[in-house]
Amino acid sequence: MTDLTDTQLAELTEARSQGVTTLRPTVPALEALLFEPIPVLDHGFIRVVDYMGDDSAVVQAARVSYGRGTKAVSEDRGLIRYLMRHWHSTPFEMCEIKLHVKLPIFVARQWIRHRTANVNEYSARYSVMDREFYIPEPQHLAVQSSDNKQGRGDVLDQDTAQVVRQILMRDAHQNYSDYEFMIGPEEKCGAGLARELARMNLTLNTYTQWYWKVDLHNFLNFLRLRADAHAQYEIRAYAEIMMQILRAWAPITAEAFCDYRLGSFTLSAQMLKVLRRRMDGLPVDQASSGLSKREWQELWETLA
Amino acid sequence: MTDLTDTQLAELTEARSQGVTTLRPTVPALEALLFEPIPVLDHGFIRVVDYMGDDSAVVQAARVSYGRGTKAVSEDRGLIRYLMRHWHSTPFEMCEIKLHVKLPIFVARQWIRHRTANVNEYSARYSVMDREFYIPEPQHLAVQSSDNKQGRGDVLDQDTAQVVRQILMRDAHQNYSDYEFMIGPEEKCGAGLARELARMNLTLNTYTQWYWKVDLHNFLNFLRLRADAHAQYEIRAYAEIMMQILRAWAPITAEAFCDYRLGSFTLSAQMLKVLRRRMDGLPVDQASSGLSKREWQELWETLA
Amino acid sequence: MTDLTDTQLAELTEARSQGVTTLRPTVPALEALLFEPIPVLDHGFIRVVDYMGDDSAVVQAARVSYGRGTKAVSEDRGLIRYLMRHWHSTPFEMCEIKLHVKLPIFVARQWIRHRTANVNEYSARYSVMDREFYIPEPQHLAVQSSDNKQGRGDVLDQDTAQVVRQILMRDAHQNYSDYEFMIGPEEKCGAGLARELARMNLTLNTYTQWYWKVDLHNFLNFLRLRADAHAQYEIRAYAEIMMQILRAWAPITAEAFCDYRLGSFTLSAQMLKVLRRRMDGLPVDQASSGLSKREWQELWETLA
Amino acid sequence: MTDLTDTQLAELTEARSQGVTTLRPTVPALEALLFEPIPVLDHGFIRVVDYMGDDSAVVQAARVSYGRGTKAVSEDRGLIRYLMRHWHSTPFEMCEIKLHVKLPIFVARQWIRHRTANVNEYSARYSVMDREFYIPEPQHLAVQSSDNKQGRGDVLDQDTAQVVRQILMRDAHQNYSDYEFMIGPEEKCGAGLARELARMNLTLNTYTQWYWKVDLHNFLNFLRLRADAHAQYEIRAYAEIMMQILRAWAPITAEAFCDYRLGSFTLSAQMLKVLRRRMDGLPVDQASSGLSKREWQELWETLA
């Protein structure tokens, strides 16, 4: 369920039938996704609206050569992996993608902290917000983590989850009804209040939407932080869809990103010292390692 | 009333007494403001926490010369005005200021759109939000403007204003109480919900706070857009305090900014043509001018 | 004469014949320019390599609406002009263009000061530079301006121009020959020096090349500063080609940009005061106006 | 030998005696370095001109708390190390430093690729360049590397080094003399050419200078890439001085940076797999590892 209106669906159908000819690099797998809203959370979505460049554009920029290159794909793969591994970021900046995203305001507030992107958000000064709120599924309602101050622990028991969901629904709807009253025209017994003021009564789980445009390098940066297990589940749900989009758009870059970023582990100077002793068969212990208990634990869990 | 706790006030008093010696450029008028919260709206404030550079640093960068220059102040003023007039922005980037700001979330969402700045916001994943909301004074509660789709018109009548304020207060407090219940520990009959989830029940007029650091050039850009009459009153209230801070920090830059930006008017190519005819005593009229009705009106109002 | 090698020309011809179908917004007038080097100066060029978005994308972002909008073109024009006039820059950030540029190093050094863009430059650490230098035409060889400390005055007399051109040619070629010797392999009696070192012997009029990608907003910023009469002729020559590209890419935006930026004039607060007195038939004079002599002169020349 | 003129030295002495009182965070170890040019290469230098914030400002931003915090230093250290390890970059953006740097143009061209910084460079359109060139010491003149396409190999033999140095000196001086003639006033038998044109005859080892201002996060990014063994020696020489400045400015951050960035090693997903097998005593070999030969070699060299 993607929450597009009938008019929007009609426009979408029309757009999808209007293929024209271009000389620009084109990615069939991404064209297949174009414009279609991919559902996220209960009412959100991501739609790819436009894009520029592909894996070859990364290679081309790295080579600063004419045309699309005549080298075999295997060499392109090697070059992209080399660039990723050595943090050569500028060639990845040569690709760009534009998404239309519908998301709860509290997620938008985390998202916007990625500053190297272009944003146009739905304006609640100009327009009326919709009555749509994010209400987490019971399995995503968890207690405050006891060991990680900003994370979640166990899932709530069923009854408590039900109570929480009812509170969230009731408050969001009550506040929205009051918002509607406040902006309602006086002749219909509303208060006639300016929209830019009335909106302050809405809750942070109200859905908003925006166009978000970013280059491939900063797209990967977003994924590195938001597809991570430490990220809040709600933004991670968007990052996971973006990971799928990445695989369609630039599969070689996606693979290199998984190998050298998401699936990698960085050994600190102290960890290196410990590991070298261990490889030499020498005794190692946390107390003398210079590692915190958490780092010590993480090191051996990762290598297990 | 600035809403600092006793501990914070004690820390502030201590900080203000700890003057040390520095060789860096120092601005006595800004030192006098340092750390003190300047109240904005009902519970917000701006505090200058740190700064770097002054009017002379702008001049120094423009001259890329050693030392602080030996030229007379009048020449410095002439140079700064020249830079401002010709949009030479890089010398203004050589100064930096760091503010601690307390502001309603819906204002924070407008503010953060200025991307060329550094931000650290109070984390509602990690910490508990305070029970503090922005409730506009009756004189700031206005109806939706009929001619400007994103602005305010006349002030609400007294009774309606009272009703609106009561709604805003009631809803904010109700939602906060439910937030408190949801994050409350189970042993005290709370739901024990993770903070990162419970916060979604808060309203957009809840106060948050952040450290915001920006260079002088982007500080001026912020003021140009947010000290403007088209900006929403609530963010303009912050911009006006920042204008005072600017005058203390870099008075020559502040004067040039008022003359060449805030108090200036840009004539479009069409306006120039109309004005030239008018100065020559030739007849002019809106229909043939290429100006929209609004531009035509604005031109003559500005020159009246 | 565009200085492409035969291989490059072959690749170009192939690229131009490989039209594929896309659902993305496509601009026929820009497709017609795609890949073709447009000559600039004696050996430089600009090639449009890729692009994303068009005038409609600006409108779409401003409306944050689905599809490409059904409004009449006249309304789109009105909206784009409104955005331009009121410095609403984010919708223009939704379009992107990628250029391949060949340019003298001293021009590249001015160009790179526009930081909000993506760049991949030909690497003189990795590759050998070509023997190509910018030698100005006689009509572009001018004396130091006497009233503008960073500009040009009258054109050099023919004989002096000839001498200057000969010096520039002789020195560039001599330095290049020495560069060639230094990087030459030892078995061929060269010094075998690393390229990253030998390049330091080249002159600043040596041609380099890069891929440069920028959004439409920052493209306009570049033009505002570099298509201006105060810009050095050599970078202005590139800006003028970019102005042509803009007209093909986003004609409505181009028109609004000319009316509200390039062809506009900003009246300072002091100028406004003077002009109001003048319109009222009151006497005005420079001494009491608060305007510098240069500003006074510029005001009346602009309005004449 | 730092190449300051007598006037500059006098100004410097005066500046260093003008300590005033400030309430801002102040770093005695950095104050001791303030204004003094630290020599780099043969004629270059770095001078710290201004700064803002310190290790405590990083902590303060992370805590978004009032005052400078009352926690013990050991906790601050733990927090800074945690931030560094988990790529939490925004608190490091709260500190800022301004350097005055004199450097060869070809180094400036590498340096400027770090875009997230503020720059004001000495203008060769406005001013006359000095007759100063970087001529590498014989021990820094090396042959092109045979295995690394953009690096250096063995040092040149003494005779060849001498020849190379003489070429570099001769060409730079010849070109400078011609530059001088071209900008020379006509009454003194010069060509009177505009400076913005004549400069194109200079070589890329000519020294320029600029003010460069950057936040601590981007300062570290610069060091990560430029203090690295893969960076060209000439820019690394600057990075090494900046590393010293970092240690004076923010010693806890400097330590964390060395442990988690400079001295760290990132294991890719494939490397992790290989290492886990190895720790389990299972056989591993390059061919089946998914690692390139270079990665395989680097892995075992690092762990040896």
Side-chain angles (χ1 to χ4, degrees):
Chain A
M1 159 68 183
T2 55
D3 294 285
L4 293 181
T5 65
D6 289 349
T7 323
Q8 288 156 359
L9 281 168
E11 279 175 15
L12 193 156
T13 309
E14 195 197 341
R16 290 203 56 82
S17 66
Q18 288 176 336
V20 293
T21 298
T22 186
L23 297 169
R24 294 172 290 169
T26 298
V27 183
L30 197 56
E31 295 274 334
L33 290 178
L34 225 51
F35 308 137
E36 294 286 357
I38 309 171
V40 193
L41 303 180
D42 50 357
H43 298 290
F45 61 71
I46 296 182
R47 295 199 311 147
V48 182
V49 170
D50 207 346
Y51 70 94
M52 176 170 130
D54 55 8
D55 277 328
S56 297
V58 176
V59 169
Q60 183 191 42
R63 297 212 175 104
V64 191
S65 61
Y66 291 91
R68 312 204 77 220
T70 53
K71 311 290 182 96
V73 169
S74 68
E75 290 181 41
D76 283 6
R77 182 169 171 275
L79 178 52
I80 285 177
R81 293 176 74 80
Y82 174 89
L83 297 171
M84 185 71 72
R85 191 169 163 235
H86 291 278
W87 297 89
H88 291 236
S89 54
T90 56
F92 297 103
E93 295 174 5
M94 286 290 143
C95 301
E96 196 89 16
I97 198 162
K98 187 161 72 175
L99 307 177
H100 177 190
V101 187
K102 188 171 160 192
L103 69 180
I105 290 174
F106 74 94
V107 174
R109 296 212 331 117
Q110 289 187 321
W111 193 307
I112 200 87
R113 291 171 60 184
H114 297 264
R115 287 158 300 175
T116 317
N118 310 115
V119 187
N120 278 275
E121 187 175 353
Y122 186 83
S123 168
R125 292 185 74 191
Y126 181 96
S127 305
V128 178
M129 300 293 282
D130 288 327
R131 186 190 278 271
E132 279 185 321
F133 320 104
Y134 169 59
I135 308 294
E137 293 298 312
Q139 70 267 32
H140 295 128
L141 286 171
V143 301
Q144 182 71 26
S145 166
S146 53
D147 61 333
N148 176 352
K149 285 181 191 164
Q150 57 174 5
R152 303 184 191 179
D154 296 334
V155 170
L156 293 191
D157 67 77
Q158 239 182 327
D159 289 353
T160 313
Q162 227 22 59
V163 170
V164 163
R165 279 170 55 86
Q166 275 163 9
I167 290 173
L168 292 173
M169 276 187 271
R170 188 196 59 205
D171 284 355
H173 279 282
Q174 175 64 45
N175 286 30
Y176 189 86
S177 295
D178 287 338
Y179 164 76
E180 260 186 330
F181 161 74
M182 289 191 283
I183 61 171
E186 288 165 271
E187 57 274 23
K188 292 191 176 171
C189 299
L193 187 66
R195 288 164 189 166
E196 67 177 27
L197 284 166
R199 62 167 161 174
M200 78 174 75
N201 200 55
L202 296 172
T203 49
L204 281 159
N205 57 351
T206 307
Y207 272 92
T208 182
Q209 45 185 282
W210 62 31
Y211 279 79
W212 189 70
K213 176 173 146 285
V214 73
D215 66 51
L216 177 51
H217 168 63
N218 284 288
F219 190 89
L220 297 179
N221 266 352
F222 184 96
L223 290 182
R224 184 159 62 94
L225 294 171
R226 304 304 181 180
D228 185 272
H230 291 88
Q232 181 162 353
Y233 161 73
E234 280 75 20
I235 198 164
R236 216 166 62 224
Y238 287 86
E240 276 158 21
I241 298 299
M242 287 159 72
M243 196 68 217
Q244 289 175 29
I245 292 169
L246 175 66
R247 283 198 198 96
W249 180 25
I252 303 176
T253 297
E255 184 203 30
F257 175 68
C258 288
D259 289 344
Y260 293 110
R261 295 282 186 282
L262 285 198
S264 76
F265 183 77
T266 297
L267 299 167
S268 68
Q270 283 79 9
M271 285 179 176
L272 269 174
K273 226 178 277 176
V274 167
L275 201 55
R276 285 186 196 120
R277 281 182 64 89
R278 171 68 190 278
M279 309 272 295
D280 286 350
L282 295 169
V284 295
D285 66 298
Q286 188 259 321
S288 69
S289 68
L291 298 176
S292 69
K293 273 179 199 163
R294 185 172 295 185
E295 288 175 284
W296 180 263
Q297 191 184 341
E298 208 175 308
L299 173 62
W300 299 118
E301 278 173 5
T302 303
L303 295 178
Chain B
M1 160 67 183
T2 54
D3 295 285
L4 292 181
T5 64
D6 289 350
T7 323
Q8 289 155 358
L9 281 167
E11 280 175 14
L12 192 157
T13 310
E14 194 196 342
R16 291 203 54 82
S17 67
Q18 287 175 335
V20 293
T21 298
T22 186
L23 297 169
R24 294 171 291 168
T26 298
V27 182
L30 197 56
E31 294 275 335
L33 290 178
L34 225 51
F35 308 136
E36 294 286 357
I38 309 172
V40 193
L41 302 180
D42 50 357
H43 298 291
F45 60 71
I46 295 182
R47 296 198 312 145
V48 182
V49 169
D50 206 346
Y51 70 94
M52 176 169 131
D54 55 7
D55 277 328
S56 296
V58 176
V59 168
Q60 184 191 41
R63 297 212 175 105
V64 191
S65 61
Y66 292 91
R68 311 205 77 220
T70 53
K71 311 292 182 95
V73 169
S74 68
E75 289 181 42
D76 283 6
R77 183 171 170 273
L79 178 53
I80 285 177
R81 294 176 73 80
Y82 174 89
L83 296 171
M84 184 71 72
R85 192 169 162 234
H86 291 277
W87 297 87
H88 291 236
S89 55
T90 55
F92 296 103
E93 294 173 3
M94 286 290 144
C95 300
E96 196 89 14
I97 198 161
K98 187 160 74 174
L99 307 177
H100 176 191
V101 187
K102 188 172 161 193
L103 70 179
I105 290 174
F106 73 94
V107 174
R109 297 215 325 120
Q110 290 187 321
W111 193 307
I112 201 86
R113 292 171 60 184
H114 297 263
R115 289 158 299 177
T116 319
N118 311 114
V119 187
N120 278 278
E121 187 174 352
Y122 186 82
S123 168
R125 291 185 75 191
Y126 181 96
S127 306
V128 177
M129 300 293 283
D130 289 326
R131 187 190 278 270
E132 279 185 320
F133 320 104
Y134 169 60
I135 308 293
E137 292 299 310
Q139 69 268 31
H140 295 129
L141 285 172
V143 301
Q144 182 72 25
S145 167
S146 53
D147 60 334
N148 177 351
K149 285 180 190 163
Q150 61 174 2
R152 302 186 191 179
D154 295 334
V155 170
L156 292 192
D157 67 77
Q158 241 182 323
D159 288 353
T160 314
Q162 229 19 60
V163 170
V164 163
R165 282 171 52 87
Q166 275 163 9
I167 291 173
L168 292 173
M169 276 187 271
R170 188 196 58 206
D171 284 354
H173 278 282
Q174 176 63 45
N175 287 29
Y176 189 86
S177 295
D178 287 338
Y179 164 76
E180 260 187 330
F181 162 74
M182 289 190 284
I183 61 171
E186 288 163 271
E187 58 273 23
K188 294 193 175 170
C189 300
L193 188 67
R195 286 164 191 169
E196 67 178 25
L197 284 166
R199 61 168 161 174
M200 78 174 76
N201 200 54
L202 296 172
T203 49
L204 282 159
N205 57 351
T206 307
Y207 273 93
T208 182
Q209 45 184 282
W210 62 31
Y211 278 79
W212 190 70
K213 176 172 146 289
V214 73
D215 66 50
L216 177 50
H217 169 62
N218 284 289
F219 190 88
L220 297 179
N221 266 353
F222 184 96
L223 290 182
R224 184 158 63 93
L225 294 171
R226 303 306 181 179
D228 185 272
H230 291 88
Q232 180 162 353
Y233 162 74
E234 280 74 19
I235 198 165
R236 216 166 61 224
Y238 286 86
E240 275 158 21
I241 298 299
M242 287 159 73
M243 195 70 218
Q244 288 175 28
I245 291 169
L246 175 65
R247 283 198 200 95
W249 181 23
I252 303 177
T253 297
E255 185 203 28
F257 175 68
C258 288
D259 289 343
Y260 294 110
R261 293 283 185 283
L262 283 198
S264 75
F265 183 77
T266 296
L267 299 167
S268 68
Q270 284 78 11
M271 284 179 177
L272 269 174
K273 226 180 275 178
V274 166
L275 201 55
R276 285 186 196 120
R277 280 182 64 90
R278 172 68 191 276
M279 308 274 293
D280 287 349
L282 295 170
V284 294
D285 66 298
Q286 187 258 322
S288 68
S289 68
L291 298 176
S292 68
K293 273 179 197 162
R294 185 174 292 185
E295 288 175 284
W296 180 263
Q297 192 185 339
E298 208 176 307
L299 173 62
W300 300 117
E301 278 174 3
T302 303
L303 295 178
Chain C
M1 159 68 183
T2 54
D3 293 285
L4 293 181
T5 65
D6 289 349
T7 323
Q8 288 154 359
L9 280 168
E11 281 175 12
L12 192 157
T13 310
E14 194 197 342
R16 289 204 55 81
S17 66
Q18 287 176 336
V20 293
T21 298
T22 186
L23 297 169
R24 292 172 291 167
T26 298
V27 183
L30 197 57
E31 294 275 334
L33 291 178
L34 224 53
F35 308 137
E36 293 286 357
I38 309 171
V40 193
L41 302 181
D42 51 356
H43 298 290
F45 61 70
I46 295 181
R47 295 198 312 145
V48 183
V49 170
D50 207 346
Y51 69 93
M52 177 170 129
D54 55 7
D55 278 329
S56 295
V58 175
V59 169
Q60 185 190 40
R63 297 213 174 105
V64 192
S65 60
Y66 291 91
R68 312 205 76 221
T70 53
K71 310 292 182 95
V73 170
S74 69
E75 289 181 42
D76 284 5
R77 183 171 171 272
L79 178 53
I80 286 178
R81 294 176 74 80
Y82 175 88
L83 296 170
M84 184 71 73
R85 192 168 163 235
H86 290 278
W87 298 88
H88 291 236
S89 55
T90 54
F92 296 103
E93 294 173 5
M94 286 290 143
C95 301
E96 197 89 14
I97 197 161
K98 186 161 72 173
L99 307 177
H100 177 191
V101 187
K102 188 171 160 192
L103 71 178
I105 290 174
F106 74 95
V107 175
R109 299 218 321 122
Q110 290 187 320
W111 193 307
I112 200 84
R113 292 170 61 185
H114 297 264
R115 289 158 299 177
T116 317
N118 311 114
V119 187
N120 278 277
E121 187 174 352
Y122 186 84
S123 168
R125 293 185 74 191
Y126 181 96
S127 306
V128 178
M129 300 294 283
D130 289 326
R131 187 190 278 271
E132 280 186 320
F133 320 104
Y134 169 60
I135 308 294
E137 292 299 312
Q139 69 268 30
H140 295 129
L141 285 171
V143 300
Q144 181 73 25
S145 167
S146 53
D147 60 332
N148 177 352
K149 284 179 191 165
Q150 59 173 4
R152 301 183 191 180
D154 296 334
V155 170
L156 291 192
D157 67 77
Q158 243 182 323
D159 288 354
T160 314
Q162 229 20 61
V163 170
V164 163
R165 280 170 54 87
Q166 276 163 9
I167 291 173
L168 292 173
M169 275 186 272
R170 190 195 58 205
D171 284 356
H173 279 282
Q174 177 61 48
N175 286 32
Y176 189 87
S177 295
D178 287 339
Y179 164 76
E180 260 185 331
F181 161 74
M182 291 191 284
I183 61 171
E186 288 164 271
E187 57 274 23
K188 294 194 176 168
C189 299
L193 187 67
R195 289 165 189 166
E196 66 177 28
L197 284 165
R199 63 168 160 172
M200 79 175 72
N201 201 53
L202 296 172
T203 49
L204 281 159
N205 56 352
T206 308
Y207 273 92
T208 182
Q209 45 184 277
W210 62 31
Y211 278 80
W212 189 70
K213 175 171 146 290
V214 73
D215 66 51
L216 177 51
H217 169 61
N218 284 288
F219 190 88
L220 297 179
N221 266 352
F222 184 95
L223 290 182
R224 184 158 63 93
L225 294 171
R226 303 307 180 179
D228 184 273
H230 291 89
Q232 181 163 352
Y233 162 74
E234 281 74 20
I235 198 166
R236 217 166 59 223
Y238 286 86
E240 277 160 18
I241 298 299
M242 287 159 73
M243 195 69 218
Q244 288 174 30
I245 291 168
L246 175 66
R247 282 197 200 95
W249 181 23
I252 303 176
T253 297
E255 185 203 31
F257 175 67
C258 288
D259 290 343
Y260 294 110
R261 295 282 187 282
L262 284 198
S264 75
F265 183 78
T266 297
L267 300 166
S268 68
Q270 284 78 11
M271 284 180 177
L272 268 175
K273 226 180 274 178
V274 167
L275 201 55
R276 285 187 196 120
R277 281 184 63 90
R278 172 70 190 275
M279 307 275 292
D280 286 349
L282 295 170
V284 294
D285 66 298
Q286 187 260 320
S288 68
S289 68
L291 298 175
S292 70
K293 273 179 196 162
R294 184 172 293 183
E295 287 175 284
W296 180 262
Q297 193 184 337
E298 208 175 307
L299 173 63
W300 300 117
E301 277 173 3
T302 302
L303 294 179
Chain D
M1 159 68 183
T2 54
D3 294 285
L4 292 181
T5 66
D6 290 351
T7 322
Q8 288 154 0
L9 281 167
E11 281 175 12
L12 192 156
T13 310
E14 195 196 343
R16 291 202 55 81
S17 67
Q18 286 177 337
V20 292
T21 297
T22 186
L23 297 170
R24 293 173 290 168
T26 299
V27 182
L30 196 58
E31 294 274 334
L33 290 178
L34 224 51
F35 309 136
E36 293 287 355
I38 309 172
V40 193
L41 303 181
D42 51 356
H43 298 290
F45 61 70
I46 295 182
R47 297 197 310 146
V48 182
V49 170
D50 207 347
Y51 70 94
M52 177 169 128
D54 56 7
D55 277 329
S56 295
V58 176
V59 169
Q60 184 191 40
R63 298 213 174 105
V64 192
S65 61
Y66 291 91
R68 312 205 76 221
T70 52
K71 312 290 181 98
V73 169
S74 68
E75 290 181 41
D76 283 5
R77 182 171 171 274
L79 178 52
I80 286 177
R81 293 176 75 80
Y82 175 88
L83 296 171
M84 183 72 71
R85 191 167 164 239
H86 291 278
W87 298 88
H88 291 237
S89 54
T90 54
F92 296 103
E93 295 174 6
M94 286 290 144
C95 301
E96 196 88 16
I97 197 162
K98 186 160 73 175
L99 306 177
H100 176 191
V101 187
K102 188 171 160 192
L103 71 179
I105 290 173
F106 74 94
V107 175
R109 295 211 332 115
Q110 290 187 321
W111 193 305
I112 199 87
R113 290 169 61 185
H114 297 263
R115 288 159 300 176
T116 317
N118 310 113
V119 187
N120 279 276
E121 187 175 353
Y122 186 83
S123 169
R125 293 184 74 191
Y126 181 97
S127 305
V128 178
M129 299 294 283
D130 288 328
R131 187 190 277 271
E132 278 185 322
F133 320 105
Y134 169 60
I135 309 293
E137 293 299 312
Q139 69 268 31
H140 295 128
L141 286 171
V143 301
Q144 182 72 26
S145 167
S146 54
D147 60 334
N148 176 353
K149 285 180 190 164
Q150 58 174 5
R152 302 184 192 180
D154 294 336
V155 170
L156 293 192
D157 66 77
Q158 241 182 327
D159 289 353
T160 314
Q162 228 21 62
V163 170
V164 163
R165 281 171 53 87
Q166 276 163 8
I167 290 173
L168 291 173
M169 276 186 271
R170 189 195 58 205
D171 284 356
H173 279 282
Q174 177 63 46
N175 286 30
Y176 189 88
S177 295
D178 287 337
Y179 164 76
E180 261 187 331
F181 161 75
M182 289 191 284
I183 60 171
E186 288 165 271
E187 58 275 21
K188 292 192 177 171
C189 299
L193 187 66
R195 288 164 189 166
E196 67 177 26
L197 284 165
R199 61 167 162 174
M200 78 175 74
N201 201 54
L202 296 172
T203 49
L204 281 158
N205 56 352
T206 307
Y207 273 93
T208 183
Q209 46 185 280
W210 61 31
Y211 279 78
W212 190 69
K213 175 172 147 287
V214 73
D215 65 51
L216 177 52
H217 168 63
N218 284 288
F219 190 88
L220 297 179
N221 266 352
F222 184 96
L223 291 182
R224 184 157 64 94
L225 294 171
R226 304 305 182 180
D228 184 273
H230 291 89
Q232 181 162 354
Y233 162 74
E234 281 74 20
I235 199 164
R236 216 168 58 224
Y238 287 85
E240 276 158 20
I241 298 298
M242 286 159 73
M243 196 68 218
Q244 289 175 28
I245 292 169
L246 176 66
R247 283 198 199 95
W249 180 24
I252 302 176
T253 297
E255 185 204 30
F257 175 68
C258 288
D259 289 344
Y260 293 109
R261 295 282 186 283
L262 285 198
S264 76
F265 183 77
T266 297
L267 300 167
S268 68
Q270 284 78 12
M271 286 180 176
L272 269 174
K273 228 179 275 178
V274 166
L275 202 54
R276 285 186 196 120
R277 281 182 63 89
R278 171 69 190 277
M279 308 274 294
D280 286 349
L282 295 169
V284 295
D285 65 296
Q286 188 258 319
S288 69
S289 68
L291 298 176
S292 69
K293 274 180 198 162
R294 185 171 294 184
E295 288 175 283
W296 179 264
Q297 192 184 338
E298 209 176 308
L299 172 62
W300 300 118
E301 278 173 3
T302 302
L303 294 179

